[in-house]
Amino acid sequence: PALALVTFLTVIPSWLLMRPDQLYSFGNSLIGVATYSSNITFWLGGGYFEEISELLPLLHTWSLAVEEQFYVFSPILLLLLLSKYKDHTIKVIIILCIISLLLSVYFTNFQSRQIVESGAFFLLPMRAWEIGVGSCIALLHSGGTWKSDNLSSWPQTLSVIGFLLIVIPMASY
């Protein structure tokens, strides 16, 4: 509902204030928002930090698209893993998270082509590790691996670590 409201309220001023070429780009972003593929739309349209991005009022929706894509594909992946590798599902997911992180690091730091570097920012394969780590923690927790009294504080400890990983970069920038 909030996304629908923001999108609707963005249409009116965009229609009144934008030139035809800007409206065309805005229309593409509307299609991307409606299909949860705005990350792909903005990836193909240019980088997040480019000058033109100031004229893309729905640019922030790229991260929602990544989330929705994750929520569509991860249950399918989980069902496939549970049917074939039931005893090793967590291990496979952890390996996939590591691969995703390594792809992100590689494409961000060791590629000179803008489209590849931008893809590391916008696309699910290079962002999946971020949500995947939380999924691993949830799966481990639901699997009962934290029954021991020594590990009973892990959920709280991980919450504090996650909070610090958000606050420290905010303070350091």
Side-chain angles (χ1 to χ4, degrees), residues 111-123:
Q111 290 292 313
S112 59
R113 295 190 350 227
Q114 177 61 32
I115 192 82
V116 175
E117 200 172 331
S118 183
F121 182 81
F122 281 116
L123 300 179

Side-chain angles (χ1 to χ4, degrees), residues 85-153:
Y85 307 105
K86 184 176 183 179
D87 296 335
H88 303 290
T89 299
I90 297 287
K91 292 174 189 171
V92 172
I93 293 173
I94 290 170
I95 290 168
L96 291 174
C97 287
I98 291 169
I99 291 169
S100 172
L101 175 61
L102 292 174
L103 283 172
S104 177
V105 169
Y106 176 75
F107 289 137
T108 303
N109 295 309
F110 301 106
Q111 290 292 313
S112 59
R113 295 190 350 227
Q114 177 61 32
I115 192 82
V116 175
E117 200 172 331
S118 183
F121 182 81
F122 281 116
L123 300 179
L124 177 62
M126 281 65 76
R127 290 288 189 162
W129 70 272
E130 298 172 8
I131 306 171
V133 169
S135 299
C136 288
I137 292 168
L139 286 170
L140 287 170
H141 188 355
S142 68
T145 58
W146 287 338
K147 288 181 182 176
S148 168
D149 289 337
N150 295 338
L151 298 176
S152 63
S153 65

Side-chain angles (χ1 to χ4, degrees), residues 23-144:
L23 275 175
Y24 179 80
S25 179
F26 178 71
N28 284 337
S29 67
L30 280 175
I31 292 169
V33 169
T35 60
Y36 293 109
S37 62
S38 60
N39 61 327
I40 297 168
T41 302
F42 295 124
W43 169 58
L44 294 173
Y48 188 84
F49 299 104
E50 294 193 17
E51 203 171 299
I52 190 73
S53 66
E54 296 170 356
L55 301 174
L56 299 172
L58 296 174
L59 182 60
H60 65 283
T61 63
W62 73 268
S63 62
L64 294 173
V66 170
E67 274 185 63
E68 292 304 319
Q69 291 162 13
F70 184 85
Y71 295 142
V72 166
F73 294 118
S74 63
I76 297 167
L77 176 65
L78 190 58
L79 287 173
L80 289 171
L81 289 174
L82 287 172
S83 69
K84 295 211 180 254
Y85 307 105
K86 184 176 183 179
D87 296 335
H88 303 290
T89 299
I90 297 287
K91 292 174 189 171
V92 172
I93 293 173
I94 290 170
I95 290 168
L96 291 174
C97 287
I98 291 169
I99 291 169
S100 172
L101 175 61
L102 292 174
L103 283 172
S104 177
V105 169
Y106 176 75
F107 289 137
T108 303
N109 295 309
F110 301 106
Q111 290 292 313
S112 59
R113 295 190 350 227
Q114 177 61 32
I115 192 82
V116 175
E117 200 172 331
S118 183
F121 182 81
F122 281 116
L123 300 179
L124 177 62
M126 281 65 76
R127 290 288 189 162
W129 70 272
E130 298 172 8
I131 306 171
V133 169
S135 299
C136 288
I137 292 168
L139 286 170
L140 287 170
H141 188 355
S142 68

